Amino acid sequence: MLAWPLAITNLSQIALVLTDTLVLGRIGELPLAAATLGGNLYFIALAPAFGAAFAASAMLAQERGRVRHHMREMRRTVRAAAWLGIPLFALLGALLWNTGAILVAAGQDPALAAEAQRYNRALLWGMPFFYGFAVLRGFLAALERPVPALWVSGLAIGLNAALLYLLVAGGFGIPSLGVMGAGISSAIANGSMLVALAGWIMLDRKLSRFRLMGRFWRADWRRIGEMVAVGLPIAGSMLLEIGIFSATALVMGWISPSAVAAHAVALQVASACFMVPMGIGQAATARVGLAAGAGDAIGAWRAGWVAIVLSGGFMALTATALLLLADQVAALFLAPELTDTRALAATLLMVAGVFQLSDGVQAVAAGALRGLKDTRLPLLFAALGYWGLGLPIGLGLGFPAGWGPLGVWIGLASGLAIVAVLMTLRWAQLAGREGPALRRLTAQPG
């Protein structure tokens, strides 16, 4: 199956962040809170890169589905994605370099903001490599060969853990660099993933024939324009989704460092669970795109619904686990003396368990829609669900109602549920059993 290697690859990547959280949580609340705030801003900055990479994945899948001249077309798309990344990361790097000023302007404690800046100034150097890895992973997914990316990600986890031991935990007597050491280790791990996966493709007899970087100096402006047109709404949707969790971290910073640390634990666990439906959604993009490119409406319909049902089943299991084992999971991340923080983290983990199903369904429905290059309405759904309803509900329950962090997370759960319903209804509209709307889309791919 295509979905499970992609899902496990995503789990491998979130394991990099989880490892950082585990190590920093044992050092203290301040380093963990600083890495959480810095990491949230980092992922906000990554949203445009995700948009470009996911747009490239959809285009690659449809190009392969059309079969004729697919090798040449796929090479042009990968090259266009690389061109697009150059100005993208010049802007994003400048944003992250000024993390401290941004967080202070957002009302965060200056000492916390300064630590978050140290983390991001190290972490940002790995961002272009992560983007390159994501583009190549989309290329392999379109060819239905996701396993190399899985192996590369697994090796990166081991490298990151070793570097954390040296740079953060002070292994072999090396002075600890704190949060900056965690940023350095993650950046190096991201760099290793791109180098290893690109090397794998170059050494593979069949894959090397694509000559992905051949004539790199020739910019395909039409294809870059199409990637921007498809990718901007994806980036906007991801920015809204990532941004709501980042905004929540900022709100927690208004409450206390303890609230930020508890939020970090719950968010990392929820994010780890989310990596599986995200992988299934990526597989749905590839399968639906392949079918759309080939003009197979029923095949696209089947791929989308199977992915949604599969994700819903998996997330029902993770919801049950989080509801039953919240205390034990929180204890893995926080030192025993942080009893109040651990109790709050366990409470937030139970809320995360409640929104697991809706989070998984909306991710896969969005992935299926990307396979049809249907990205504009999902952007509006994200704006309405996360920011129009979810955040106001969370702020209302958190402050005027006096529920604190619990109320803010209930707002998150409400927003995710709304987006899940809207995304699924949109997919049902385009991919009804008879599929008239889907047939029109597959008749005119791209």
Side-chain angles (χ1 to χ4, degrees):
M1 289 178 64
L2 181 59
W4 290 112
L6 288 171
I8 297 172
T9 301
N10 289 334
L11 282 170
S12 301
Q13 289 163 1
I14 200 65
L16 296 177
V17 183
L18 273 172
T19 308
D20 290 354
T21 303
L22 284 166
V23 174
L24 292 172
R26 294 291 169 175
I27 295 177
E29 285 184 349
L30 182 62
L32 178 57
T36 300
L37 291 175
N40 274 292
L41 189 59
Y42 172 81
F43 281 107
I44 287 176
L46 261 184
F50 275 123
F54 284 152
S57 297
M59 292 167 64
L60 288 163
Q62 288 201 10
E63 286 156 4
R64 184 175 174 227
R66 287 193 283 271
V67 179
R68 188 178 181 184
H69 304 307
H70 75 277
M71 188 176 290
R72 181 185 65 194
E73 297 300 311
M74 293 177 76
R75 175 171 61 249
R76 288 178 174 175
T77 295
V78 171
R79 192 170 62 201
W83 269 85
L84 187 56
I86 295 171
L88 198 59
F89 289 107
L91 294 172
L92 299 179
L95 172 72
L96 290 176
W97 192 258
N98 294 289
T99 291
I102 293 169
L103 291 177
V104 169
Q108 300 303 305
D109 177 75
L112 194 59
E115 283 294 287
Q117 178 167 283
R118 292 181 67 229
Y119 180 69
N120 274 1
R121 284 188 174 182
L123 187 62
L124 68 87
W125 299 105
M127 183 186 287
F129 297 101
F130 178 81
Y131 170 70
F133 173 82
V135 171
L136 293 182
R137 184 181 61 182
F139 164 74
L140 292 173
L143 295 173
E144 300 178 274
R145 293 189 59 179
V147 174
L150 170 61
W151 286 111
V152 166
S153 295
L155 291 173
I157 295 172
L159 175 61
N160 186 55
L163 290 171
L164 284 171
Y165 176 71
L166 293 173
L167 301 178
V168 180
F172 298 109
I174 297 175
S176 173
L177 297 178
V179 292
M180 186 173 72
I184 293 171
S185 65
S186 293
I188 293 173
N190 283 327
S192 72
M193 288 195 297
L194 175 60
V195 171
L197 192 59
W200 191 310
I201 291 171
M202 291 174 61
L203 294 174
D204 186 279
R205 184 173 59 85
K206 293 183 179 179
L207 296 177
S208 63
R209 292 187 299 175
F210 281 83
R211 294 184 296 111
L212 293 180
M213 290 295 106
R215 298 183 179 180
F216 176 76
W217 59 88
R218 295 180 60 180
D220 188 335
W221 298 111
R222 182 196 64 79
R223 199 171 299 261
I224 291 172
E226 180 184 357
M227 195 171 295
V228 170
V230 175
L232 269 179
I234 298 174
S237 297
M238 298 199 70
L239 184 60
L240 291 169
E241 182 174 359
I242 295 170
I244 193 66
F245 285 98
S246 299
T248 303
L250 293 175
V251 171
M252 296 296 179
W254 299 341
I255 299 172
S256 68
S258 177
V260 177
H263 169 81
V265 170
L267 182 59
Q268 292 304 326
V269 173
S271 298
C273 296
F274 177 74
M275 289 301 105
V276 172
M278 186 177 177
I280 297 172
Q282 290 165 337
T285 299
R287 295 289 193 193
V288 171
L290 287 168
D296 180 6
I298 298 301
W301 170 86
R302 184 184 301 113
W305 281 116
V306 166
I308 289 171
V309 172
L310 183 63
S311 176
F314 175 82
M315 293 303 263
L317 294 176
T318 63
T320 303
L322 288 179
L323 289 169
L324 295 177
L325 302 172
D327 289 332
Q328 293 88 330
V329 173
L332 295 174
F333 290 86
L334 295 163
E337 62 270 17
L338 302 175
T339 53
D340 291 341
T341 306
R342 286 172 61 172
L344 178 56
T347 300
L348 299 184
L349 282 167
M350 294 183 73
V351 180
V354 172
F355 69 59
Q356 288 293 289
L357 184 60
S358 56
D359 201 16
V361 168
Q362 66 85 18
V364 177
L369 290 169
R370 282 196 296 268
L372 299 176
K373 299 183 186 176
D374 183 70
T375 57
R376 294 181 183 177
L377 268 181
L379 171 60
L380 297 178
F381 297 158
L384 173 64
Y386 299 137
W387 293 88
L389 297 171
L391 184 60
I393 291 171
L395 291 175
L397 293 176
F399 293 97
W403 292 15
L406 174 61
V408 176
W409 268 65
I410 290 174
L412 285 179
S414 302
L416 285 166
I418 292 163
V419 174
V421 170
L422 293 173
M423 291 285 195
T424 307
L425 289 174
R426 175 61 175 169
W427 172 253
Q429 177 192 11
L430 292 181
R433 182 75 185 185
E434 299 302 320
L438 186 54
R439 284 196 173 89
R440 286 196 295 274
L441 286 167
T442 53
Q444 298 178 336

